[in-house]
Every structure is written in structure tokens, then in C-alpha cells.
Amino acid sequence: MRLALNSYFKVIKVSGQENIPKEGPILFVSNHPSTLMDPIVIGVFVKHEIYFLAAAEFMGKGIQKILMEKWFNMIPIYRASTQPKKTSNNKNVFEKCYAHFKSKGSILIFPEGTSVTQKRLLPVKTGAARMVIGAELDGSPQVQIVPIGLNYSDPHTFQSELFVSIGKPINTANSAIESIHDEFERAVKLTEEIESQMKENLIHLEDEKLDSIFSKIRILTQRQFQDSAKEKRPLDTQFNLDQQIQVGLHYYNSKRPELIDEMNHKLDNYLKRSMFYGLTDGSVFHSNQKISWFDYGKIILGTPLFILGFLFNALPYYLTIWIFRKLKVSESFQGSIGFSIGIILYLIWYASIGIFTGRSVDIWWVGLVAVVLVYCSGRFTLQFIALISQMRQKGTLKSLFNRNRNILESLKREREEIINEILDYASQIPEDKK
């Protein structure tokens, strides 16, 4: 599964694994932007065996429900919004969780209560806090709550990026709720602490307007101040910069919203002009770079391997796209459904290649080598396509430069002015607001 995730995402970075306690009981709490993808990611990168609380309506009935519980460690939870008549069953669910905590097990819950693809955390429900408090009243050892932030560049797009931030555990014995005796008040206070710690590991924007301008600012800043030898900065460094942008947007949105509107207008104008001339921000930023003989050499030498990789991987790739489009799934399920279809089809395809090759030469390990080579050629094909895209951008730049040098220089100046303005605004934010 880790190999499948590494193939689906262009880059994955996990930060804070040292914050996970070596033994339980542990309650992992996470945001939930991509339905089935989220528990898969956490299950792969957290070494503990995890039981998942999942909406009962997605687990099916009968044998399917039994398989989900036994094979995938799922515990059904009945939501008032979808199954109001069955919420009384949650008492038994909580008792199962208490028993699991007593055996020092680990449980994952998505306390927002639903899955929505957006760069903000929905109000956290009290279920996670009530579970921890109830478990401790039931005689469980101290339950440590570990917040996890899943920061996708786009969870529904193949070859996107994922930064997983694991926060420091919340220990109820050391938190502000220790002195509160009323169970309801304790649950409310602990929920506030959980929500606060989850936001620390996320990019949390208050509304769609800020989300939109954040995306535009990020396009420019993700290449700024980076090591010139690297195409992009590490995801953890980018995440820290993203959090600074988030702080700045919230500050100016509350103090001087007119500046937000003004910046949004300037960003729109710059990005639309770049797009009109067939350029990306990256190509404007790297406009001094030219197509070198080394670039041409990589294209010439890599073309044969690219052709092989494309031919051997095209069928499952395009079949995945065709099936996915036929299904017409809702947005929050798109990434996880596409990922699941791809895994099944590629497993069947690679297994078929391995079996056919091994039997053709009557040597089993030759089939295994063939599978490895086909997989590696597929990964190379993705890198080759990215290289072609870069070459095309450089070619567009050269053509534009030859036609009208002033246009390119104008875009570069416009970009530089926006960056300087962003830096100026950032320097004016009071330290206590950062």
C-alpha cells in the first residue's frame, strides 16, 4: 500500500512521527478531506495497528459489514444526520472503544463528523473528547490524543502532493481540563483543545474567499526564496511558509479587508496575463533559464524508455480514467475511488505480465523482474512527461522573448512587485499575532 501511495502522489512528506507514543492507548484525531484516502494514509504511516471509526452507512450490511470490521479494523459509528434512529447503538460502539483502550490499543477518529475537501477545519464535535473521558472513567489507562493534519495539494488529482503533520500528544492529565469536575464541561474544554491542536497541523482558512487568495499567493511563494539548485522546496518548509501566509490573511482580513481585495485583484491580473501568453508562474520565475544541450540529451536518451513505459502502463492508466468517469462520484470520494480503481487494475495488470513472462521462459523470477521493470518504466514515464512540459515552457518563453521582450519583462516586474508587497505586509504583522 505504501508503494501505491508513493505512485499516486508525486511527493509525500511525513513530519512529527517522533510525537507518536510508543505504546497506547492512543486516540488519533485527524481532518477528513478525502473519505477513504485519509484512513489509508494514516494507516500506512502510523506503525501502530489502528482501529477506525467509520460512518455505518458506508460499511454496508451483512457479510460486507463483517468483513469491514474484521479485515479493515473498522468500527461503525451511527451519525444523527444520516441514521437518527440508530444513534442509540453508539453506546455499544463507545463500550467497544473503551475495551480497546483498556488493552492499550489505538483508534482513529475524524472528529469533524464528515468529509469535505477544503482548506479549513469544520467545527470539531465532542465525540472524541467524550470517548477519552468515558474511557478513563471506565478504568482505561491514560489515553493520549495525537492530532494529525492531512495537507493535500489536491487529494483528487493524480501526482499531487501530500504533507502529513503529526502534532504532540494531548495528555488529559496535564491539560487544562484536569481541574474541571463536571463531565460535560470537561468534554467541551477538551474538544476546544483538540480543535486548537488540529489547526496547528493544518492550513485552516476561515472561508472560501481566503482559500482562493491563499491558493494564488502559494503559486508565487512556493518558488520564492528557494535554493536555486532545487526545483521546489521541501514540503515541511513549504508548510511553514503556508502557515505564515494563513496568519497574514486572517490578520488583514479582520483589520484591513480592503488590502485583501486589492491583492486578490493584482494576483488575478498577473496570473490571467501569464495564462494568456501560455506561461505558468514557474516559467516566468525561471525565465532566465534556456534550453540547454543537456536538456536535449535527456530527451533523446530518455525517449526509448519513455515509449516502453507508456506502452506497458497505458492500458490500466486509461482504463482507470474511463471507469472513474463512468462512475460520476461526488467530490469528496473522487481521490479515494480513483486510487482504489487504479490499485485493482494495476495489480491485475502487473500480475498478468509477471505470470505470462514467467511461464513463457519457464523461470518464475524472470516474471518478477519483468514486473519491476514495467513499474520502474512507468515511474520514469511520469518524470519524462514533466521534463517535456518544462521544455515546452522554455520554448514558449523563447518564442515570446523573440516576439516581444517587453511583455516578458512586464510580467517579471509585476510578479516582483506582488512578492515585495506580500513581504511588506508580512513585516507589519505584530509579533503577538504570528
Side-chain angles (χ1 to χ4, degrees):
M1 190 61 72
R2 183 187 291 262
L3 188 64
L5 285 175
N6 287 333
S7 299
Y8 181 82
F9 292 101
K10 185 177 182 179
V11 183
I12 301 177
K13 171 71 176 180
V14 181
S15 175
Q17 284 185 313
E18 69 279 2
N19 293 326
I20 301 175
K22 293 183 178 179
E23 62 177 22
I26 306 170
L27 178 66
F28 293 96
V29 291
S30 173
N31 61 315
H32 200 16
S34 184
T35 56
L36 300 176
M37 184 73 77
D38 303 333
I40 290 173
V41 168
I42 295 173
V44 166
F45 292 104
V46 172
K47 295 180 181 179
H48 296 273
E49 182 182 16
I50 300 178
Y51 281 72
F52 306 87
L53 260 69
E57 64 265 27
F58 296 136
M59 294 178 60
K61 300 178 181 179
I63 295 177
Q64 180 181 336
K65 181 173 178 290
I66 294 172
L67 291 177
M68 289 290 190
E69 291 179 2
K70 297 295 183 182
W71 288 5
F72 298 100
N73 293 347
M74 289 186 175
I75 301 173
I77 190 82
Y78 299 89
R79 300 187 296 180
S81 59
T82 54
Q83 295 180 307
K85 295 181 180 180
K86 294 185 177 182
T87 53
S88 58
N89 294 339
N90 288 334
K91 181 179 180 181
N92 295 329
V93 173
F94 272 54
E95 288 175 355
K96 287 181 181 179
C97 294
Y98 298 160
H100 194 61
F101 283 140
K102 282 183 180 179
S103 62
K104 297 186 176 181
S106 299
I107 293 176
L108 168 64
I109 186 172
F110 299 102
E112 294 168 283
T114 188
S115 177
V116 180
T117 304
Q118 57 187 13
K119 283 187 174 65
R120 59 183 175 274
L121 188 70
L122 295 175
V124 170
K125 301 184 184 300
T126 60
R130 290 189 290 112
M131 183 185 298
V132 170
I133 293 170
E136 293 175 356
L137 291 174
D138 194 55
S140 169
Q142 193 77 48
V143 180
Q144 298 194 75
I145 307 169
V146 177
I148 297 179
L150 300 175
N151 298 277
Y152 300 94
S153 61
D154 183 349
H156 312 307
T157 301
F158 181 58
Q159 290 292 280
S160 55
E161 299 173 346
L162 167 61
F163 177 68
V164 183
S165 179
I166 303 173
K168 294 182 179 179
I170 303 168
N171 192 324
T172 54
N174 301 324
S175 68
I177 74 159
E178 185 182 16
S179 59
I180 301 175
H181 299 291
D182 181 81
E183 189 174 335
F184 174 77
E185 290 184 11
R186 290 186 73 196
V188 171
K189 187 66 178 178
L190 182 55
T191 299
E192 291 175 356
E193 191 166 350
I194 290 172
E195 184 171 309
S196 175
Q197 292 300 313
M198 289 179 70
K199 287 179 180 178
E200 287 292 322
N201 295 279
L202 290 170
I203 300 304
H204 172 73
L205 300 159
E206 294 175 351
D207 54 41
E208 291 183 6
K209 173 185 172 182
L210 293 185
D211 191 346
S212 174
I213 190 172
F214 170 86
S215 299
K216 297 166 192 172
I217 292 176
R218 192 181 191 277
I219 290 173
L220 274 69
T221 57
Q222 67 179 346
R223 293 179 179 84
Q224 205 70 23
F225 324 119
Q226 66 187 17
D227 183 347
S228 59
K230 297 179 180 179
E231 177 63 23
K232 294 184 72 174
R233 61 165 57 88
L235 286 185
D236 50 350
T237 306
Q238 180 63 50
F239 178 71
N240 292 332
L241 178 59
D242 289 346
Q243 286 189 314
Q244 294 175 41
I245 297 171
Q246 165 193 280
V247 169
L249 287 174
H250 285 155
Y251 175 77
Y252 282 105
N253 192 51
S254 62
K255 299 294 184 181
R256 299 185 63 185
E258 71 279 3
L259 293 181
I260 296 290
D261 293 333
E262 184 182 334
M263 177 59 67
N264 193 32
H265 175 73
K266 290 180 179 179
L267 286 163
D268 269 339
N269 185 60
Y270 163 72
L271 293 172
K272 287 178 180 177
R273 284 189 67 211
S274 300
M275 189 181 301
F276 177 80
Y277 292 109
L279 302 175
T280 65
D281 175 69
S283 58
V284 175
F285 179 71
H286 294 294
S287 57
N288 59 328
Q289 297 182 1
K290 299 179 180 179
I291 302 176
S292 65
W293 288 108
F294 182 66
D295 291 328
Y296 286 119
K298 287 190 292 185
I299 295 295
I300 294 170
L301 294 175
T303 297
L305 186 55
F306 161 74
I307 294 172
L308 287 175
F310 179 81
L311 291 176
F312 279 120
N313 291 273
L315 179 60
Y317 177 78
Y318 287 108
L319 188 57
T320 297
I321 294 175
W322 182 80
I323 294 175
F324 176 78
R325 288 175 177 172
K326 288 291 183 181
L327 292 177
K328 297 181 180 179
V329 297
S330 62
E331 183 187 20
S332 58
F333 280 88
Q334 287 179 0
S336 50
I337 294 298
F339 176 75
S340 302
I341 295 171
I343 285 180
I344 294 171
L345 291 181
Y346 271 96
L347 282 176
I348 294 172
W349 178 247
Y350 287 161
S352 301
I353 289 175
I355 293 170
F356 175 79
T357 306
R359 287 187 175 178
S360 296
V361 298
D362 201 26
I363 304 175
W364 68 269
W365 59 264
V366 173
L368 182 61
V369 170
V371 170
V372 172
L373 290 176
V374 169
Y375 171 78
C376 291
S377 68
R379 294 298 299 268
F380 176 82
T381 297
L382 294 174
Q383 296 173 5
F384 190 85
I385 291 172
L387 176 62
I388 292 293
S389 178
Q390 293 172 18
M391 293 277 284
R392 186 183 297 116
Q393 283 290 306
K394 289 179 180 179
T396 303
L397 276 169
K398 183 179 179 181
S399 174
L400 180 62
F401 185 84
N402 291 335
R403 292 199 326 266
N404 194 329
R405 181 176 180 176
N406 291 333
I407 293 175
L408 182 57
E409 292 300 323
S410 172
L411 285 170
K412 289 169 66 176
R413 282 196 304 271
E414 190 174 353
R415 186 186 193 282
E416 186 176 352
E417 288 171 4
I418 292 173
I419 289 292
N420 289 336
E421 197 167 335
I422 291 171
L423 291 174
D424 183 50
Y425 288 155
S427 67
Q428 296 178 41
I429 299 174
E431 285 298 324
D432 62 334
K433 300 297 182 181
K434 295 181 180 180

